[in-house]
Amino acid sequence: KELSKIDYRESMLNHYYQNPSAFQQYLSFGRQKDKIGFRGSVGIDRSRSNVRSSNSARTTFSQFISYKPIEKLKIDLSVDHSSSNSTLPLGANDYPISIGGGRGNLYPYAELIGKDGGAASIPRTYNPYYLSQLNDKGLMDWGYRPLEEIAMSQSINKMGLTNGSVNVQYSV
């Protein structure tokens, strides 16, 4: 292949980046009748960023009940719940890829996809010749494959919050 026909930005567009999206839905409902009132809501948010394997989701639920058994007494109950999940790649590199080791950015004609269709190793921090000698001695493979790094190291955050309250009012 001619080097002028190779551009790793295309590999990043096809295998690293994705179209971001956001999805939101919200439903609210309520009813008041005689001595009792009710309000509630449910919400769902889903989004993904421009980097593959990066997404977030949130669900919310809220409920409020008001009860007035006699003229001077009012009782309010409320419950709110929110849960969220997010996933972010930790080892991901945006364009341009910084290769470290006293050098600047990766050369534009680097191939991120190998001849076998899998993620190719690119030089980063250490000399590739030195790394190949380590592999020959039975040590771990320290090759850097940006397209594999996206899925290999992720930060997964899960959070839930529930809040409830009771309010009693008596008028004298």
Side-chain angles (χ1 to χ4, degrees):
K1 272 185 170 179
E2 288 183 40
L3 295 181
S4 64
K5 294 180 181 177
I6 301 171
D7 189 347
Y8 82 88
R9 293 177 295 184
E10 188 167 324
S11 293
M12 290 190 74
L13 284 174
N14 293 333
H15 302 283
Y16 179 81
Y17 292 112
Q18 65 185 359
N19 289 328
S21 65
F23 170 80
Q24 297 178 331
Q25 285 192 322
Y26 180 78
L27 174 66
S28 173
F29 44 89
R31 176 87 194 237
Q32 178 72 41
K33 187 170 184 181
D34 300 328
K35 298 179 179 186
I36 194 162
F38 174 84
R39 283 187 317 222
S41 65
V42 177
I44 299 172
D45 301 325
R46 305 274 186 269
S47 66
R48 65 181 200 178
S49 77
N50 65 330
V51 177
R52 291 188 193 275
S53 75
S54 178
N55 57 57
S56 65
R58 180 179 61 176
T59 304
T60 58
F61 169 78
S62 181
Q63 180 177 323
F64 177 80
I65 298 172
S66 181
Y67 179 57
K68 195 170 184 178
I70 58 174
E71 185 62 33
K72 295 184 175 190
L73 179 65
K74 182 179 176 186
I75 302 169
D76 296 330
L77 304 169
S78 70
V79 175
D80 300 307
H81 177 76
S82 175
S83 62
S84 62
N85 299 319
S86 64
T87 305
L88 301 168
L90 296 176
N93 264 318
D94 285 334
Y95 176 82
I97 295 176
S98 173
I99 56 176
R103 298 175 301 246
N105 297 326
L106 183 64
Y107 44 90
Y109 48 86
E111 294 184 280
L112 300 182
I113 304 292
K115 292 175 180 56
D116 62 352
S121 178
I122 62 169
R124 181 175 183 197
T125 309
Y126 300 107
N127 185 317
Y129 177 73
Y130 171 72
L131 294 178
S132 69
Q133 287 179 331
L134 294 176
N135 291 345
D136 293 342
K137 294 178 182 177
L139 296 176
M140 288 178 58
D141 180 8
W142 285 92
Y144 177 65
R145 296 168 184 83
L147 298 181
E148 274 184 4
E149 295 289 326
I150 299 169
M152 291 177 72
S153 60
Q154 295 182 340
S155 168
I156 299 172
N157 301 309
K158 296 183 179 195
M159 186 174 69
L161 174 67
T162 303
N163 185 26
S165 68
V166 177
N167 184 25
V168 178
Q169 293 177 338
Y170 185 79
S171 303
V172 224

